[in-house]
Amino acid sequence: MRIAVYPGSFDPMTKGHLDIIERGSKMFDKLVVAILVNSSKTPCFTTLERMEMIEESVKHLENVQVEHFEGLLVHYMEKNNYKYVLRGLRALADFENEFQMASMNKKLYPEIEVVILMTNIKYSFISSTLIREIIKFGGDLKDMVPELVYKKINQKYGRVNDEDNSAVK
Ligand code: ADP
């Protein structure tokens, strides 16, 4: 059985992430979305909130499950006997980072194989970092995050009007 791990912080999950998950789930028997828990950072959404949002957004995909891990990806993968990592690539800047990480992970865990999917051009400009910035200043995120994530952002950060996108603060 071919199992791939799609690791990331998913803080929050975007439509770019969802697109990679949907395409990745067709390539592997099972896809594990693995949330990196970084206890030295204060996230926008807790691990539990992120898990719930992802689980809900991928429930149409039978072979996708959500887990979380702390520490090194290679340790988590070795422990669970996972061999494939799935990543997404947006721009040239991503490439350097992905290349370095893939090489380091291969050095630490030679059995690993990293599979990289090109972004869907529709979502190529979306990153969780920018999404967090927009949340902070109350901008409109419709079409950039899955429907449920959009609702959660509105609930947690005060944009209460789902219908007409006006920032209600
Ligand atoms: P981000 O890089 O957006 O802060 P993550 O660390 O959660 O988010 O990213 C996890 C993986 O998803 C990385 O491989 C990243 O390149 C990829 N990814 C993130 N956003 C997109 C997107 N819009 N299209 C394709 N891949 C993406």
Side-chain angles (χ1 to χ4, degrees):
M1 180 145 151
R2 279 177 194 270
I3 306 176
V5 177
Y6 180 37
S9 39
F10 307 105
D11 186 32
M13 181 202 217
T14 69
K15 283 205 176 168
H17 292 135
L18 186 57
D19 182 71
I20 297 288
I21 294 170
E22 283 172 342
R23 288 157 61 202
S25 72
K26 293 187 195 135
M27 298 166 58
F28 294 93
D29 299 312
K30 190 164 120 184
L31 180 65
V32 179
V33 180
I35 302 170
L36 170 65
V37 180
N38 184 347
S39 44
S40 65
K41 276 195 191 164
T42 310
C44 223
F45 290 96
T46 64
T47 307
L48 194 66
E49 286 172 325
R50 280 180 274 165
M51 278 196 87
E52 282 170 2
M53 284 190 276
I54 301 173
E55 268 165 2
E56 195 58 32
S57 308
V58 302
K59 67 173 190 228
H60 58 296
L61 304 168
E62 273 177 11
N63 63 339
V64 177
Q65 75 182 48
V66 187
E67 296 182 355
H68 58 88
F69 70 101
E70 232 177 313
L72 291 182
L73 175 67
V74 287
H75 287 163
Y76 158 75
M77 292 194 57
E78 257 181 312
K79 200 177 86 197
N80 292 287
N81 203 25
Y82 296 146
K83 302 274 185 331
Y84 298 98
V85 182
L86 180 69
R87 298 287 288 175
L89 197 68
R90 280 159 298 193
L92 207 58
D94 271 355
F95 177 78
E96 267 190 59
N97 190 31
E98 292 297 334
F99 182 72
Q100 191 179 21
M101 261 192 306
S103 310
M104 179 54 86
N105 284 335
K106 186 100 183 150
K107 172 85 184 151
L108 295 171
Y109 181 26
E111 286 169 76
I112 218 170
E113 286 301 343
V114 181
V115 175
I116 298 202
L117 287 182
M118 299 298 277
T119 186
N120 181 325
I121 203 77
K122 283 195 290 193
Y123 308 127
S124 58
F125 60 95
I126 302 176
S127 75
S128 295
T129 310
L130 279 181
I131 297 289
R132 286 196 300 276
E133 205 58 14
I134 297 168
I135 292 174
K136 200 159 117 193
F137 296 108
D140 184 29
L141 290 166
K142 214 169 181 94
D143 298 330
M144 295 188 226
V145 294
E147 194 58 36
L148 179 102
V149 176
Y150 185 71
K151 287 202 175 116
K152 291 272 178 206
I153 291 169
N154 290 343
Q155 277 166 14
K156 190 164 177 177
Y157 291 97
R159 285 177 54 91
V160 294
N161 193 338
D162 287 9
E163 301 308 322
D164 68 6
N165 304 336
S166 58
V168 183
K169 284 248 162 191

